[in-house]
Amino acid sequence: PLTKGIIYCVNRNLLRKPGWCKQWLSSNEIKLIDVTETIPYSSKKAFTHDTFVDIGDEDTFIDLLIDFACMIHEELVKSGRVVINCKNGRSRSPQVILAFMMLRGIPREHCIQWLTLAFRSQRPTITRKSAEFPNFPKFHNVTVALEQRCIKHRLDIENRVRTNIPSSCASS
């Protein structure tokens, strides 16, 4: 209810299978955001980095996550559905969804618990293969820094959001 829509997190290989979107998402006309290829708004690059972020380098990734959250929001306002994906849908795309929820005001720990339960119950094959699924620990320092920015520098976040999306969408 908070998103007023549906956010799908999908493995890139599934999206490339002919007819998969039509069969499982009931449409080929759904916005796909591949976080490894899409450069959102004023960010300088896509989310290609798939390892722990060095201490002190979190700000670039926080801005990237904010920009992706704006893209998700805009698409949910337009069509009510969006697909977020990376290579396997285990680390980067779950991080983007986590950031989206945090920027909606949900505490980080609550988001992690809820998303972990959702991902593990909806993707049991990956859960059996990967002990860290979704792999939130990989970007722990980034989400902690995002949480701190949400508390201490909320105005900076609001200014970035206003820069990214039209005021008609940003108000919600």
Side-chain angles (χ1 to χ4, degrees):
L2 185 60
T3 66
K4 297 185 177 47
I6 300 171
I7 301 171
Y8 300 94
C9 184
V10 179
N11 178 310
R12 178 187 297 153
N13 293 330
L14 294 176
L15 293 172
R16 292 181 176 166
K17 287 184 178 182
W20 190 89
C21 285
K22 180 75 171 159
Q23 179 182 358
W24 296 101
L25 305 176
S26 303
S27 174
N28 286 325
E29 302 299 318
I30 188 168
K31 175 75 171 185
L32 306 177
I33 300 175
D34 183 335
V35 300
T36 66
E37 295 177 0
T38 303
I39 300 172
Y41 301 105
S42 59
S43 288
K44 306 263 188 276
K45 59 182 180 174
F47 200 172
T48 56
H49 189 90
D50 195 26
T51 59
F52 182 82
V53 174
D54 291 333
I55 303 297
D57 291 342
E58 297 95 349
D59 283 345
T60 300
F61 291 91
I62 291 170
D63 290 342
L64 183 66
L65 292 172
I66 293 168
D67 293 351
F68 274 121
C70 289
M71 288 184 79
I72 293 169
H73 172 81
E74 237 182 333
E75 194 54 38
L76 290 174
V77 168
K78 284 183 204 170
S79 69
R81 301 182 320 152
V82 64
V83 173
I84 310 300
N85 75 285
C86 54
K87 182 179 178 192
N88 295 311
R90 291 186 300 189
S91 298
R92 290 168 285 186
S93 48
Q95 292 299 326
V96 168
I97 296 169
L98 171 65
F100 172 81
M101 293 177 72
M102 288 174 60
L103 290 162
R104 287 294 179 109
I106 303 172
R108 184 177 58 83
E109 280 304 316
H110 181 80
C111 292
I112 289 171
Q113 290 173 7
W114 189 88
L115 287 170
T116 299
L117 178 62
F119 276 108
R120 288 182 180 176
S121 65
Q122 294 174 24
R123 297 176 72 187
T125 304
I126 295 175
T127 300
R128 284 191 298 274
K129 292 179 183 179
S130 178
E132 286 293 342
F133 173 68
N135 195 352
F136 292 127
K138 185 184 280 188
F139 299 102
H140 175 77
N141 62 325
V142 174
T143 57
V144 168
L146 174 60
E147 182 177 50
Q148 288 303 307
R149 192 185 287 186
C150 286
I151 295 167
K152 296 178 181 175
H153 304 285
R154 189 74 190 174
L155 189 57
D156 293 343
I157 293 172
E158 290 172 8
N159 288 335
R160 189 167 187 97
V161 169
R162 273 194 289 283
T163 300
N164 287 339
I165 57 179
S167 60
S168 60
C169 289
S171 63
S172 58

